[in-house]
Each structure stands twice: as C-alpha cells, then as structure tokens.
Amino acid sequence: MDNKVKNILYVTTRLPWPLIGGDRLHIYHYLKELKSKGHKITIVTLVSKDDDLNGALEHNEFYTKLIPINFNKKFAYLKAVKALFNDKPFIVEYFYNKKMQKIIDAEIKTGTYDIAIGYIIRSLPYLKKHKHIKKIIHLCDAISMMYERRIQEKTSLLDKIKIGIEYRKVKNYEKTSCKYFDKQVLISEADKKYLSKFADTKNCEIISLATDTKYYSPIDFPKKNNICFVGSMQYIPNSEAAIYFATKIFPLIKKGIPDVKFKIIGANPRKDLFDAVKDIDGIEITGRVEDVREYMKNCKVSVCPVKIAGGIQNKILEAMSMGIPVVTTPEGAEGIGASEDILAVVNSDEDYANKVIELMKNSEKIYQIGRDSREFILTNFSWEKVGNDWDKLIKEI
C-alpha cells in the first residue's frame, strides 16, 4: 500500500454546504476526515445559491481548493428534455454542464492529480472518458433499486411506463460505472447484492455511512407524546412516506394516545404533503429548521416509514445516536444491521401503530432502547471509521 498523501480531484453536482440533507452531510464528513489525514482535495461542483457558496468558502475544513460552477436550475430543466431522445437518465442530463466538463478536463490535463472521485452516477459523464487517471465512483446507493420499488408502488400504468424508462437508463449507467471506473463504492451489502444482478461488482467496495455522534447526542429533556419524522420533504420518497404515516398510521395511534403529536421535520415540504394532512389534527410540518435536535429532543419515538429506499437511512442513524427509539419499515432498516430489540421493524399499518403505542407507553423501555441504540451507533457508525476506510481505499488504488 502507498502511504503517501494523495492529490484528489472530487467531482460532485451538489455543493456539500449547508449541512442539510444526507448527501451533503456524507460528502462533507468523509472529505473532512481525508483532509485531516493530509490529502489535498480539489472540489469541482455546481452551485445554485450564492449564500451556500459563501458559507462553504468560510468552512474550508473539507477541501483544499474549491472550484464552483454556476448552475441555473430553470435552464437545466429545459436542457434535460434531451434525455427523452438519448440514453442519459433525466437526473444525469439535468446535472450535466458543459462549462463544468471543460474545467474538469483542464484540471485532469495538468497531470497533478493522483485520483479522481465522482459522486453518484451524475458524475459519470464528466469522468468516463479519462483513461489515464485512477477513478472511483461513489455510487452510494443502487439507485435502480429505488426506481424498481417505485414502479411496484405505482398503480397508474402511465407512471409505471415513465419511471420504467428512467429505471432502465439508470441501470445502464450503474452497469457502465462498474466497467469504466477502477473502483465503485456502495454503502451497504444490500445495494451491492442488487447491483450484482446486472453488473460486474468485483471491484465494488462497501464503505458505510456514519453520523456525527457528538452533534447527535442524547439531550436530557422531558419527553412528550411526540413522534418525529426527519428528512428533506422535497425528496419524493420522504414526502410520500410522511403522507403514508400521517394518513394511515397516525390516526390508529391517536386512538390509543389521543394527545399524540406528529412532527414532520424537513426542508422544502411539497404541496401534496400539506394537502394530505391539512384536516388531520396533531400534525406539524416545520419546513427547514436551524437545529433539528431542538425539534427531536422532546419526542418519545422517531419513525422512518419509507417504502422506497436504498442504502442506509441517515435519519435513522441520527435518531439512534440521540438515544431516540426508531420504528421503521424493512426498507428503512436495510444496511444498518441492528437487531430488532434495538431497531423496531414493522410490516403492516396495524403493527406500526401498535409498536409506536407500546413504546410511548413504556418509559423504561424507551430509556433502555435509547441507551442501546446510542451504543450501537458509537460502535458501528463513526465518521472516523468511514474516513479510515476511504483513506485505505485511496492508498490501495
């Protein structure tokens, strides 16, 4: 293994600042760990908000050099129509920027970089053609698995067809990434197992997610009959999960605990979420908040009712790190590896409601599960471990 520090070109279509949302947090923390080990990191990224860029420029603990490219979302939507007539997934065409491509080409041409790392399949067209530099693509999740689950959930034939087209394109891009990159990184064995059905995964490595255990630590605060669900509410699977819990599960819980409250915590909630819950008493949609812990600290239970998921749910790790018991679906629990006496997994609406009620009425059990959850996260999901795994992979390649 080469123990020298490396000069890394990091390509991402989303600036990892501010620290809101799982992908930004993920990129920020493992790059911060790599920089602390001496590696030099140049980030090339699309940026759509000046405030985000200014914040990142004030916090350079996760990069050595930052090259921002202005990203116009409205123009990107118009340009992404081309995906109807080519083999690129819509999510790839939307984030493809010719100026960014020229900058990446010029940076690699200097010959100063030891390795290039691209974040998810959006980075594939930027790096695919470069054959004379070692390349890693951080696939993170098997996105195609989420599309397959989305197709299964839809009842409309038109929806199934539209999602099916994108699903096939995404699968092809994931397969291509296994062919043109020296290494692929996924965050769970479940994702690798799915990918292996149609792609060569012999060079796939598993490097897990983690959570900031210092930030997400237990807060001594009186617990009320509150339930929380945390996540970006602009992300359709999260919004659909919130609607599902609010309309199907929450009314059942209210029968057993009449004063129960449900907090839906996350930025940019969609209109369909507001419309779905407007007539249900006891539900609060917060929108973006400065400190999510302030809204979680007095909750007895955190829920993650996602049915369309891949990889590892960061929202579950954060709640467990705070010592808050979590009740989730089989899809939500994938990749975490916690036993059911720590992480409750349910398979039906009635089971979901009953498990939440059972926990909320048993303070001793809440304390016990919360304590064990915290210990589990400290042992298995620290950023130091993730940073060490990335450092090892980079030096090996």
Side-chain angles (χ1 to χ4, degrees):
M1 184 189 297
D2 182 356
N3 289 316
K4 292 180 181 178
V5 298
K6 303 298 179 184
N7 199 358
I8 301 167
L9 180 68
Y10 193 88
V11 176
T12 175
T13 56
R14 175 171 287 181
L15 176 70
W17 195 272
L19 300 182
I20 298 170
D23 52 352
R24 288 191 179 102
L25 283 163
H26 194 184
I27 296 169
Y28 169 84
H29 280 289
Y30 72 73
L31 290 186
K32 181 182 175 183
E33 289 290 332
L34 288 176
K35 189 184 177 189
S36 73
K37 297 178 189 301
H39 297 294
K40 296 178 181 179
I41 301 164
T42 297
I43 298 178
V44 183
T45 181
L46 298 175
V47 179
S48 58
K49 295 181 181 179
D50 290 340
D51 288 346
D52 293 352
L53 177 58
N54 292 334
L57 292 173
E58 293 173 4
H59 295 82
N60 66 350
E61 62 270 16
F62 63 102
Y63 63 88
T64 309
K65 179 182 177 183
L66 179 62
I67 304 176
I69 294 97
N70 183 57
F71 180 61
N72 185 309
K73 291 183 177 181
K74 290 182 180 179
F75 178 72
Y77 268 117
L78 292 173
K79 184 176 66 64
V81 172
K82 289 193 296 183
L84 294 172
F85 310 102
N86 62 34
D87 64 347
K88 287 183 181 177
F90 178 85
I91 56 171
V92 172
E93 190 71 80
Y94 175 78
F95 285 102
Y96 186 74
N97 182 287
K98 289 183 179 179
K99 183 179 179 181
M100 184 167 174
Q101 182 72 71
K102 288 180 180 178
I103 289 173
I104 291 167
D105 293 347
E107 287 292 318
I108 292 176
K109 193 175 180 180
T110 65
T112 58
Y113 295 99
D114 300 299
I115 191 167
I117 302 175
Y119 185 69
I120 63 179
I121 61 170
R122 298 172 191 169
S123 66
L124 188 148
Y126 291 113
L127 295 173
K128 176 185 172 183
K129 68 178 182 180
H130 292 287
K131 300 177 181 179
H132 303 296
I133 185 172
K134 294 292 185 180
K135 302 190 297 290
I136 297 174
I137 187 164
H138 188 189
L139 292 173
C140 205
D141 310 326
I143 302 175
S144 54
M145 180 166 63
M146 290 188 282
Y147 277 103
E148 182 178 293
R149 288 171 174 173
R150 199 162 170 72
I151 292 169
Q152 292 168 353
E153 285 289 316
K154 293 296 180 181
T155 54
S156 163
L157 179 60
L158 181 59
D159 285 342
K160 286 180 179 290
I161 292 171
K162 288 191 295 184
I163 297 168
I165 293 170
E166 185 77 352
Y167 164 65
R168 287 190 292 274
K169 290 183 177 183
V170 166
K171 276 182 70 175
N172 183 55
Y173 255 60
E174 289 174 334
K175 184 177 180 179
T176 301
S177 73
C178 290
K179 182 177 179 181
Y180 286 95
F181 285 73
D182 299 277
K183 289 286 185 179
Q184 304 81 39
V185 175
L186 293 159
I187 62 175
S188 80
E189 287 290 348
D191 292 276
K192 183 175 179 178
K193 183 178 179 181
Y194 182 88
L195 207 63
S196 67
K197 295 177 182 179
F198 57 87
D200 181 358
T201 57
K202 68 175 180 294
N203 291 320
C204 283
E205 303 288 340
I206 306 300
I207 300 180
S208 184
L209 275 177
T211 194
D212 188 339
T213 55
K214 292 180 181 177
Y215 185 83
Y216 291 102
S217 58
I219 299 173
D220 188 14
F221 198 86
K223 307 296 183 185
K224 298 181 180 179
N225 284 331
N226 294 334
I227 304 164
C228 62
F229 175 44
V230 180
S232 171
M233 290 303 145
Q234 188 176 28
Y235 183 51
I236 293 175
N238 283 344
S239 183
E240 290 180 346
I243 291 170
Y244 158 64
F245 189 88
T247 58
K248 302 294 184 182
I249 313 300
F250 187 63
L252 299 177
I253 296 171
K254 282 179 70 72
K255 291 179 181 179
I257 307 175
D259 66 338
V260 67
K261 306 291 182 186
F262 179 36
K263 299 181 181 183
I264 302 171
I265 309 165
N268 304 314
R270 298 165 60 86
K271 183 179 181 297
D272 55 355
L273 174 57
F274 282 106
D275 291 344
V277 308
K278 64 182 179 181
D279 296 325
I280 304 175
D281 185 49
I283 295 180
E284 177 187 3
I285 300 174
T286 69
R288 178 175 174 174
V289 299
E290 288 300 316
D291 188 345
V292 69
R293 299 169 302 175
E294 290 300 309
Y295 290 79
M296 295 173 68
K297 67 184 182 183
N298 66 353
C299 294
K300 288 184 177 179
V301 174
S302 176
V303 296
C304 183
V306 294
K307 292 189 174 183
I308 301 166
I312 295 173
Q313 298 297 306
N314 211 58
K315 57 183 75 70
I316 292 181
L317 303 185
E318 291 166 356
M320 292 176 72
S321 186
M322 288 184 69
I324 302 172
V326 179
V327 184
T328 188
T329 57
E331 294 83 359
E334 280 181 348
I336 295 177
S339 60
E340 286 210 29
D341 57 338
I342 297 176
L343 177 62
V345 180
V346 292
N347 292 288
S348 70
D349 297 356
E350 292 75 17
D351 287 347
Y352 214 135
N354 290 337
K355 176 56 70 173
V356 173
I357 291 170
E358 174 193 334
L359 286 172
M360 295 186 79
K361 288 185 174 182
N362 191 331
S363 298
E364 186 177 335
K365 197 163 189 176
I366 285 177
Y367 172 79
Q368 178 188 337
I369 293 174
R371 180 196 61 203
D372 293 344
S373 296
R374 171 71 177 173
E375 280 300 315
F376 176 80
I377 296 298
L378 288 172
T379 302
N380 297 282
F381 291 95
S382 72
W383 282 116
E384 182 180 6
K385 180 182 183 301
V386 169
N388 288 337
D389 289 344
W390 270 101
D391 181 55
K392 181 181 177 182
L393 175 61
I394 287 166
K395 287 174 177 175
E396 281 180 351
I397 196 172

